Each structure stands twice: as structure tokens, then as C-alpha cells.
Amino acid sequence: MVKVTSSALFSRGAPPGLKEEQGFDGRVILYPSNRNLRDYLSWRQVDCHINNLYNTAFWTLVQKGGLTTIQAEDRLKGTLASDKNEILFSEFDINYNTEAAVYKKGTTLIWEKRDETVAKRKKLPNEEQTEVPVTRSRRRVEAYHCDLIGDQFWDEHPDILEDDNC
């Protein structure tokens, strides 16, 4: 596969006591087919969602619930996503479904082609100068916080995948 896609899945703000700058988990991987790439990115997005739900519940229990980190960890041991959602909603009035997509979906960075028009000065034969619009195609990295599991993202960005009948 010639095209390379990278995903960067960020965690939410710095927890109390963090002694280092935050980083992100970013990977660049070549996969043999579009289906393999989509499956991998879907798995990474689900993993981001699972981790964020846990971290949201954990740090809410610590920061708003007054638990120690050990108590919060013990409270969440063995819980399912529905249990964490219930803790957040019933104890802290937080509806996890309304959290921003960047936290639940992560951040996907892709190169996108954009046309850019600039004014260029041109010297005329009579020594006068004029400005002429010049349009160039530029590639820029764009960040998306959207669902990669369904077809909508891929339908809107068909140039990401090669034509291999995915």
C-alpha cells in the first residue's frame, strides 16, 4: 500500500500530579489492504473510547467524588461501560454521550489537498507592475474527530484509500 495513514489518539487534560508533559500515541503503519487499514483504525478508535470512558470515570471519582486514586481504581475494577456511564450520570450528573467527539473518537490526522490563491506581482512590458492571482494546490494536515468505523468518513475522503475494492 502506497498511502500511509496515521492516527493520533489524545487523552484529555493533564491529571493532577502529572510531572511530565503530555504526549500522544501516534503510529505510522503500512497495511496490505484498505480493509486491514480500516479495521486497524476502527480498533484504535474503539480503544480510545474505552480508555477515555475509564479515565473520565476515574478522574471524576477522584476530583469530584473525593476518592483517592487507589479507591477510584478499586471502584472501577470489573465494571462495564454501562457501569461507568451510570456512575458518571447518577453520581455526578455527567452524560458521557454529550462529551466532545475529540475525547470519544480521538484525533485522526490526514493530508488534504487545498487550493490556495495568492496575488503575484508581474512586470508588464511597459515597466508597469500588476498583480495576478495564482492558484496552487497545497497539502495540509487536517485534524478530524469523527467516526472512522462507519462509511461516512471514508465516503467523504475517498482519496485516503487506494482502489482495492475495499
Side-chain angles (χ1 to χ4, degrees), residues 82-143:
S82 59
D83 301 323
K84 292 175 192 73
N85 277 307
E86 184 60 29
I87 290 168
L88 289 169
F89 189 74
S90 64
E91 296 180 31
F92 303 100
D93 199 31
I94 295 172
N95 182 347
Y96 185 77
N97 292 327
T98 62
E99 290 290 300
V102 65
Y103 303 123
K104 297 185 296 184
K105 303 291 185 185
T107 302
T108 300
L109 303 173
I110 62 172
W111 284 101
E112 285 193 343
K113 191 186 287 188
R114 299 274 191 237
D115 285 339
E116 203 175 79
T117 302
V118 295
K120 187 148 183 140
R121 288 183 181 227
K122 185 177 181 181
K123 212 177 229 186
L124 299 174
N126 62 1
E127 300 293 324
E128 288 182 31
Q129 287 190 3
T130 186
E131 289 194 357
V132 180
V134 176
T135 302
R136 299 178 183 146
S137 288
R138 300 277 191 216
R139 293 174 53 86
R140 301 204 185 281
V141 175
E142 297 290 337

Side-chain angles (χ1 to χ4, degrees), residues 46-62:
V46 168
D47 195 43
C48 174
H49 176 77
I50 290 167
N51 290 333
N52 185 67
L53 178 57
Y54 177 88
N55 287 326
T56 300
F58 179 88
W59 287 109
T60 300
L61 287 168
V62 171

Side-chain angles (χ1 to χ4, degrees), residues 23 31 35 38 42 58 60 70 85 99 111 126 154 166:
Y31 278 98
R35 177 54 46 204
R38 285 186 62 172
S42 295
F58 179 88
T60 300
I70 293 169
N85 277 307
E99 290 290 300
W111 284 101
N126 62 1
W154 303 102
C166 179

